[in-house]
Amino acid sequence: MEQNILKHIRKAVDEGFSYLDYRAIVEQLVLEGESTGKEQTEVLTNYSLLNHKRMKRLDKTTKLSPDVIAKLQSIKEQVTWVVITESWCGDAAQTLPIINKFAEATDKIDLKIVLRDENEELMDNFLTNGSRSIPKLIMLDKGLCKVLDVWGPRPSIATNLVQEYKEKHGGLSPEFKESLQVWYNKNKGENTIEDLLELLSLK
């Protein structure tokens, strides 16, 4: 089973996009009134447009502290981060720019972006409570021989907020989803940064 998973991961690494290429693809799709993924609806297109604007803003405003950069530059072993996502995903829009800043700060992180609907077999090995929730970050060793850890689809505090709401209400309402985006904006990526440092054993 492990070898089968690694086969899908290696294919994803070979065919995956750089962050800049992914951003360019999403921008072009938004201009054409489309989103990534098999399903094309007005709702998903609108989410993609909103997320494109969010990511554009976060690409400009997200700054890692000197302390975080120093920690990242202390990494000794090369790792590969494969992130499964789609353009319409609100959680991805809030976290992918930060993931990219981590990869930019050190030559020890090789970041690849892949689309969920084009990599279903890979996605199905990394479900969240049985769901194809994204974004999902898979961390691999240098030789792509071992899955070291997995992160996502949300930072830890947001995960707890979602879980608590689901336990009380059975699902996520549109109002809750809006409040979650407000939380992201107020948190300014701090929780995601903490989680990613922990993923790299740098906390």
Side-chain angles (χ1 to χ4, degrees), residues 1 6 25 46-47 49 57 65 84 89 98 115 121 146 149 167 171 173 178 187 193:
M1 183 62 168
L6 289 172
I25 289 165
N46 288 339
Y47 280 142
L49 175 59
R57 173 175 54 81
S65 71
I84 307 171
C89 176
I98 300 168
L115 300 177
E121 290 177 312
K146 185 179 180 182
D149 212 337
E167 285 172 359
S173 67
E178 284 183 22
N187 185 256
I193 290 169

Side-chain angles (χ1 to χ4, degrees), residues 134-169:
I134 51 176
K136 185 70 76 163
L137 188 164
I138 307 158
M139 184 165 74
L140 301 124
D141 67 346
K142 181 180 179 180
L144 306 180
C145 296
K146 185 179 180 182
V147 176
L148 301 174
D149 212 337
V150 179
W151 180 87
R154 299 179 183 92
S156 51
I157 294 173
T159 296
N160 291 336
L161 291 172
V162 168
Q163 189 172 337
E164 288 170 8
Y165 191 90
K166 279 185 173 178
E167 285 172 359
K168 285 183 182 177
H169 304 280

Side-chain angles (χ1 to χ4, degrees), residues 96-121:
L96 256 178
I98 300 168
I99 291 169
N100 179 57
K101 294 292 182 183
F102 268 58
E104 286 182 338
T106 173
D107 60 3
K108 297 298 185 184
I109 298 174
D110 182 25
L111 175 61
K112 294 290 184 179
I113 313 290
V114 301
L115 300 177
R116 185 190 72 174
D117 290 2
E118 294 178 7
N119 294 274
E120 291 182 349
E121 290 177 312

Side-chain angles (χ1 to χ4, degrees), residues 64 69 71-79 81 100-110 200 202:
L64 300 181
I69 291 172
K71 286 179 178 178
L72 289 170
Q73 292 179 348
S74 75
I75 296 173
K76 298 289 192 293
E77 300 294 328
Q78 186 82 30
V79 293
W81 282 3
N100 179 57
K101 294 292 182 183
F102 268 58
E104 286 182 338
T106 173
D107 60 3
K108 297 298 185 184
I109 298 174
D110 182 25
L200 291 162
L202 294 173

